[in-house]
Structure formats: structure tokens, C-alpha cells
Amino acid sequence: MEKVRTRFAPSPTGYLHIGGLRTALYGYLFAKKQGGDFVLRIEDTDTARYVEGSVQIIYDTMRDSGVMYDEGPDVGGNFGPYVQSERKDIYTEYAKKLVELGGAYYCFCTPERIASLKDEEGNVKYDKHCLKLSKEEIEEKIKNGEPYVIRQNVPESGTGSYHDLVYGHISVDYKDIEDGILIKSDGMPTYNFANVIDDHLMGITHVIRGTEYLSSTPKYNLMYDAFGWERPVYIHLPPIMKDAQHKLSKRNGDASYEDFVNKGYVKEAIVNYIALLGWSPKSNVEKMSLSELTENFSLDGISKSPSIFDETKMKWLSGEYIKAMTDEEFAVKAEPFFKQSKVYGKYDLLKMASLLKTRVEIFSEIPDKINFLEEFGEYDSALFFHKKMKTDVEIAKIVLPEARKAIAELKEFTFDSVHDAMMNVVSKLGMKNGQVFWCVRVAISAKESTPGGVMEIAELLGREETLRRLDFSIDLLNK
């Protein structure tokens, strides 16, 4: 059986969009599941849209996400060069060959003549004007230095049909396909030509791409057939939608992989979630590592329907990855976000990690959750009111002096000793646990909600700071 070879062929036009990364991911998963090769090719023939630094962003994103290629511009391989602008001579050679085979022709029409072909809606469909030129006329025009393009010669009638592994039988009328430009006047190929030549020469067996190419695939097949080449297997992927009406789009500034990493999402969770946008595993398991995704991936799980990108769901998945980390792993991965807080370096990082690990879904939530350790001052005494706990300012006035006394008398200041001290206060005052614990927690944090309760916060703050805060809160209530 022929070895499976898939490719990801992005244009370097900025950051790597989520839809692009999903295409790469599915190409990677399919190839790896079949024991095949996954190739990265840079399609930089659209010089007008080229963005400086984009190629490096593509390399970095794929490495960082784990969607690593076997062949590509920066890793080499037997089918290079893997950058289209470095293959210009190859395209010229094959375009001339396609002209000889009758699948393409030279076109010398001026932009003015092309513009004159516009219909009432402003659409232009080329009228095959230059197809009638004789060989001698063409040679004369080239000799005189007249600018030209090479156009595809699409039949004027009939249909182009093929089978797609997701969408089944696809058929397009040739009358709806224009004689598109294959080689531009500057000698650079268009995507429509270069992708066919490259896929064939690089031995790509399965072409995985978005549904926007469903209707243009018949014109690619005309080229495969003209050259006498075997067509690849086609796998078109449903679009990712922002909502019911709008596609997630790089051009609309929708978030990239890099944006989500900077927001504090766990990298593995981003890749995991992207895999589920348009593909359903046979099991109901949603949290899967890259190796588990590879093991479970199958084409029959790909949907024909668009998927809506749900950031809330991805956030939940990120939280699941965080919960599964050890405190040490969490501390290392979250450290850049701890550093954004004023408390970094002042408290035990592992203790803070243990406190926060089950209480955040993305790392960027960390600074807000721990800044109370640094920022403590005037606050609204209404925080002591809690209907369910049956607490209010008057209860707090009774609890806090007793809590302060119990903590001051401790020989050792640990989680357990603070817990025992608070339980003694509960017993002494004849109150419910919640009444004492709520009042003391508010008194030492000045927050309605905190990661962790009295014992965790007190242990982090230490005896001296805990007592200082209790004194502050007692004074506040007595004012």
C-alpha cells in the first residue's frame, strides 16, 4: 500500500489562525495514524499579502502546539524546496508543458480589455479571446516583449466530478469555472497552479483543506488529468463559525493560537479543543492528549456541518488540564502569570500553586485571584453579611477578637493549628462553623471570594500579617 503523505500549506500572511491550525492538526493526525508523513510547505506566491515574520510564526506555532512536520523548509526532506517562491522555475516548466498538452494557453489581454468584460454585477469571466491565437502570433508577441499570463483552458461544457471522503460525490459544471490565471505576468504562479504541481511532485496522497475549495477542485483535476497524473484523495473540512452567521476568520481579526496562549490557556487544551471542532471521537471522552487524539482519529468522525467555536468550552477544557497537573507542573507553567502579580517572590510559589490549581481555568486568572495577598486596606464592612452563613457585622464584632486571641496564643503556626484554633472559637462562642470561618476569612482577605479558606490564607500570610489584618478589621468594625 502507498505510504500516506499529507501536507499543510499556509500562506505567510500573519499569525496562524485557529482554522489553519485545525487543518494542520487533521493532516498530522491522519498521517500519523496511518504511519505516514506530514509535510509543511510555505505558499508565498501572493507577494502582496506577505507579512514579514509570518513564516517564523508558522514554525513556532506548530512546534509549540506539538503539530510537528516530518518535512519542511526548516527541517529539510527529499522533496524540497518547500517554499513556493524558491520553486519558480519548476512552475514555468510545467506551465509550458500544460500549454503543449492543450490544458492552458498564453493570454496577452490588457487590464483594460479584461475590465471591459465585466457583467452588470461587476463579475468578469474571461472569454477565451487569446485561445484563438496561432503559434506564430504567440511567438511574435513574446519576442516583442508583450506582457502575458498563462491561463487554464477549461472546457466550455460538461461537468467535473470527483469523490470527497467527507462530502461524497461532488459535481461542478465547467461553464461555472473561469479560465483562471496559472502563471502571472511577473512569472509567479497562482495558488491554483502551484498547489497542483507541488502536491504531485511532493507525492501528496491525501489533500486535506477547507470546504472553500470544494468547487475549485474540478479545475485542479483537469490539470492532473492533462498531465496524466493520479489524482490525490480529497478530504474537505467544514468551516469553523464564530456564530450561526459568521465564519471564524483571520481577516476579521479572530483569535489565533498565539492569542489564546497569551490569554493563559493550556496549550494542550487549545489543540485538544480544536481537534473537536468538526470531529467527534467514537468514545465520549473529550480530554485527549496529542497521542490519544492520533490513536482515536478517524475520517468517519468528521462532520459535514459547520462547528461553532465556543470559548467557554475551551476554557473548561483548559481547567481540566490544569486540575490534572501536579503542584510543581502548575507552578512552572503558570509562573509567567504569577510574575504579573505584585505578590510574586513574596510568598511560597508551591503553596500558591496548590491553592489556585483547582480554582482557575486559564493562567491569566491568577493575578486577580492572589493580589489580595498584597493589596489590603479599607473595605466595605457589608462583606461580612452572608444570608446563608447567618453572618453580619454584629456577628463579626464578636468573632474577630476571639479569633485574634486564639491565633496569637498558638505555639506553632500551621494549617492544622489554625484550623484547631478556629474550631475552639466555634465551640467557645456556640456558633456554626460557617459563621466563624466566613468572618475570619473576610477579615484577613477583604474579599467576598478567595482561593482557599481561612487556614490556607493564614498559612500563606504568616502569623504576623494575619494578626495585623485582624487588628485592622477589628478597628474598621469599631469605627
Side-chain angles (χ1 to χ4, degrees):
M1 186 184 153
E2 187 181 17
K3 189 178 189 181
V4 166
R5 284 175 63 80
T6 62
R7 51 75 165 172
F8 176 50
S11 298
T13 55
Y15 61 76
L16 190 50
H17 174 244
I18 288 295
L21 186 58
R22 184 193 64 172
T23 301
L25 176 62
Y26 285 9
Y28 170 89
L29 295 175
F30 182 73
K32 295 297 135 192
K33 178 78 180 278
Q34 309 294 325
D37 295 326
F38 175 55
V39 178
L40 174 68
R41 184 172 74 224
I42 302 295
E43 303 205 335
D44 61 346
T45 58
D46 190 348
T47 51
R49 290 182 61 221
Y50 178 81
V51 174
E52 197 66 46
S54 296
V55 174
Q56 192 59 48
I57 288 173
I58 292 166
Y59 297 157
D60 293 346
T61 300
M62 294 182 75
R63 272 192 173 77
D64 197 53
S65 65
V67 185
M68 194 52 194
Y69 36 95
D70 302 291
E71 299 169 29
D74 59 332
V75 298
N78 297 325
F79 297 87
Y82 293 92
V83 178
Q84 285 189 335
S85 58
E86 296 170 18
R87 299 169 64 84
K88 189 174 167 183
D89 292 345
I90 297 171
Y91 306 125
T92 305
E93 175 198 336
Y94 279 96
K96 287 176 178 174
K97 198 170 181 180
L98 191 60
V99 170
E100 288 169 23
L101 293 166
Y105 58 94
Y106 292 92
C107 173
F108 299 88
C109 289
T110 62
E112 291 74 26
R113 182 177 188 280
I114 300 294
S116 73
L117 300 173
K118 277 185 186 170
D119 61 18
E120 289 172 7
E121 280 86 42
N123 301 315
V124 173
K125 187 168 187 225
Y126 188 66
D127 58 1
K128 292 185 178 284
H129 175 75
C130 290
L131 182 61
K132 310 177 193 81
L133 294 174
S134 67
K135 195 177 178 185
E136 293 72 29
E137 286 175 296
I138 291 166
E139 286 172 359
E140 183 67 23
K141 285 178 180 289
I142 292 172
K143 191 176 153 190
N144 291 337
E146 285 189 40
Y148 66 85
V149 298
I150 295 180
R151 286 185 182 274
Q152 184 172 11
N153 185 14
V154 179
E156 293 184 81
S157 61
T159 55
S161 301
Y162 67 99
H163 181 77
D164 180 82
L165 290 189
V166 175
Y167 289 89
H169 181 78
I170 304 290
S171 193
V172 178
D173 287 338
Y174 286 135
K175 65 178 173 58
D176 295 328
I177 302 175
E178 191 189 2
D179 284 6
I181 294 171
L182 305 180
I183 300 287
K184 296 178 274 192
S185 56
D186 62 1
M188 288 294 273
T190 58
Y191 167 82
N192 290 325
F193 186 57
N195 90 87
V196 170
I197 304 304
D198 289 342
D199 284 345
H200 172 72
L201 295 181
M202 293 181 182
I204 302 303
T205 59
H206 294 71
V207 170
I208 301 175
R209 59 188 172 208
T211 49
E212 62 268 29
Y213 295 105
L214 273 172
S215 59
S216 52
T217 297
K219 66 186 173 193
Y220 307 146
N221 286 336
L222 283 171
M223 288 184 257
Y224 279 106
D225 297 348
F227 284 119
W229 297 339
E230 188 180 345
R231 298 176 182 181
V233 177
Y234 294 110
I235 302 161
H236 287 88
L237 307 176
I240 301 173
M241 310 294 285
K242 184 157 51 174
D243 52 43
Q245 282 80 37
H246 305 95
K247 273 177 73 173
L248 204 66
S249 161
K250 180 171 167 176
R251 292 185 186 185
N252 291 339
D254 289 325
S256 67
Y257 169 84
E258 200 177 1
D259 291 332
F260 287 119
V261 171
N262 292 336
K263 274 188 186 180
Y265 283 82
V266 177
K267 294 169 185 179
E268 293 84 355
I270 302 171
V271 173
N272 189 163
Y273 180 66
I274 291 171
L276 301 174
L277 286 171
W279 170 71
S280 301
K282 287 188 172 73
S283 68
N284 289 325
V285 177
E286 290 185 296
K287 182 176 175 285
M288 284 181 274
S289 65
L290 195 55
S291 58
E292 289 168 332
L293 287 169
T294 304
E295 194 182 320
N296 287 288
F297 189 75
S298 63
L299 294 179
D300 55 10
I302 296 178
S303 169
K304 292 180 183 179
S305 308
S307 312
I308 291 183
F309 188 90
D310 180 357
E311 195 171 340
T312 305
K313 178 76 179 284
M314 188 167 79
K315 202 172 180 183
W316 167 80
L317 200 52
S318 182
E320 293 301 298
Y321 274 86
I322 286 175
K323 286 188 188 85
M325 293 175 188
T326 63
D327 291 350
E328 289 78 7
E329 280 176 321
F330 178 76
V332 169
K333 292 193 176 188
E335 192 165 11
F337 294 88
F338 276 112
K339 283 180 176 175
Q340 292 172 18
S341 166
K342 296 171 184 173
V343 307
Y344 180 75
K346 296 182 182 179
Y347 296 95
D348 187 308
L349 187 61
L350 269 181
K351 279 184 181 173
M352 287 196 292
S354 173
L355 204 60
L356 289 163
K357 202 180 73 181
T358 57
R359 295 176 169 93
V360 296
E361 292 181 313
I362 55 177
F363 297 131
S364 57
E365 293 170 347
I366 289 170
D368 276 351
K369 287 193 183 292
I370 58 174
N371 279 345
F372 75 91
L373 293 170
E374 178 72 11
E375 297 164 357
F376 185 84
E378 291 291 327
Y379 62 92
D380 189 347
S381 59
L383 287 175
F384 288 104
F385 176 79
H386 194 293
K387 192 175 180 182
K388 189 178 171 188
M389 297 288 184
K390 296 189 169 59
T391 66
D392 55 24
V393 168
E394 295 310 312
I395 295 287
K397 282 180 178 178
I398 299 167
V399 168
L400 296 188
E402 292 296 333
R404 194 221 181 274
K405 187 181 171 195
I407 285 172
E409 289 172 354
L410 289 174
K411 289 186 174 64
E412 281 186 303
F413 192 78
T414 63
F415 181 99
D416 291 335
S417 67
V418 172
H419 175 267
D420 293 347
M422 292 305 100
M423 292 309 292
N424 288 339
V425 172
V426 168
S427 179
K428 182 178 179 181
L429 296 177
M431 290 184 179
K432 293 189 185 308
N433 293 9
Q435 289 176 296
V436 171
F437 282 85
W438 178 271
C439 290
V440 177
R441 190 191 57 77
V442 168
I444 62 174
S445 69
K447 293 279 183 186
E448 187 175 12
S449 64
T450 52
V454 174
M455 286 76 71
E456 290 95 342
I457 295 168
E459 189 182 22
L460 266 174
L461 292 172
R463 186 200 303 261
E464 195 179 317
E465 178 63 10
T466 300
L467 290 173
R468 187 187 77 79
R469 292 186 177 203
L470 281 168
D471 288 338
F472 180 92
S473 295
I474 291 166
D475 288 346
L476 181 82
L477 294 182
N478 289 331
K479 277 180 185 173

